[in-house]
């Protein structure tokens, strides 16, 4: 897991991540190569701004999935890396065949999705929730409109 915010790195470790890297204080590509010897098999850009970094850290023949939807994101990367590494890059947004399986996983309780909600706040404090997320001090914030 690559995560610049310490709160979120700690959460990743507590959720079972084997390796968590701070990309601000460490060279992400160097760290991934040290751990894997060849690069990551699969890279998931859940932010929508990390495609170039993903291309750098994925192994030859690896896959990159971009699921983050940042409307103003623009990626610049050396196209030759994508070609010589023979990468498969895919973007997805609420794919038709993935929503129900995701619901099924949540309903099965095989994962504790409730752990992702790190803060609960009433609607009149929604700005606090937004700040928690912006500052990397929350994973998910649940806003309860009934607690006003």
């Amino acid at each position: 897991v690559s995560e610049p915010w310490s709160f979120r790195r700690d959460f990743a470790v507590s959720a079972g991540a084997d390796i968590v890297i701070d990309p601000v204080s460490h060279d992400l590509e160097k760290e991934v190569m040290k751990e894997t010897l060849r690069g990551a098999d699969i890279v998931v850009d859940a932010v929508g701004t990390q495609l170039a970094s993903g291309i750098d850290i994925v192994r030859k023949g690896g896959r990159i999935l971009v699921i983050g939807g940042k409307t103003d994101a623009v990626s610049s990367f050396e196209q030759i890396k994508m070609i010589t590494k023979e990468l498969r890059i895919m973007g997805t947004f609420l794919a038709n065949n993935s929503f129900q399986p995701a619901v099924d996983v949540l309903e099965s309780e095989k994962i504790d999705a409730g752990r992702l909600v790190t803060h609960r706040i009433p609607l009149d404090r929604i700005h606090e929730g937004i700040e928690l997320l912006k500052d990397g001090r929350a994973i998910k914030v649940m806003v309860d409109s009934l607690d006003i």
Side-chain angles (χ1 to χ4, degrees):
V1 173
S2 169
E3 174 57 56
W5 298 102
S6 62
F7 177 85
R8 297 172 72 90
R9 284 194 307 273
D10 293 344
F11 183 87
V13 170
S14 74
D18 294 323
I19 301 164
V20 181
I21 301 166
D22 176 356
V24 175
S25 63
H26 293 86
D27 181 322
L28 181 61
E29 183 176 5
K30 188 180 289 184
E31 293 294 321
V32 169
M33 294 306 166
K34 181 175 81 174
E35 293 293 336
T36 64
L37 304 178
R38 65 182 192 160
D41 294 325
I42 299 170
V43 172
V44 177
D45 176 1
V47 180
T49 61
Q50 301 301 307
L51 179 57
S53 178
I55 289 171
D56 288 340
I57 66 171
V58 74
R59 70 168 172 80
K60 183 173 182 165
R63 294 179 285 172
I64 299 174
L65 177 64
V66 181
I67 60 174
K70 187 154 176 30
T71 58
D72 61 346
V74 176
S75 271
S76 178
F77 58 89
E78 298 171 53
Q79 186 175 346
I80 194 69
K81 288 182 181 180
M82 179 183 67
I83 294 166
T84 58
K85 284 186 161 187
E86 300 174 338
L87 301 179
R88 289 173 280 166
I89 301 173
M90 183 177 137
T92 186
F93 181 76
L94 294 176
N96 292 334
N97 296 323
S98 65
F99 192 76
Q100 189 57 51
V103 170
D104 294 343
V105 168
L106 291 173
E107 287 178 342
S108 75
E109 298 181 358
K110 290 180 182 175
I111 60 169
D112 183 7
R115 290 189 66 222
L116 296 173
V117 178
T118 56
H119 297 77
R120 295 174 188 273
I121 59 171
L123 182 60
D124 62 346
R125 292 178 40 212
I126 192 168
H127 295 294
E128 291 176 38
I130 292 169
E131 289 303 313
L132 287 166
L133 291 166
K134 278 178 44 180
D135 295 342
R137 294 179 288 139
I139 304 300
K140 298 289 181 191
V141 175
M142 180 177 284
V143 179
D144 189 345
S145 62
L146 299 177
D147 283 349
I148 298 179

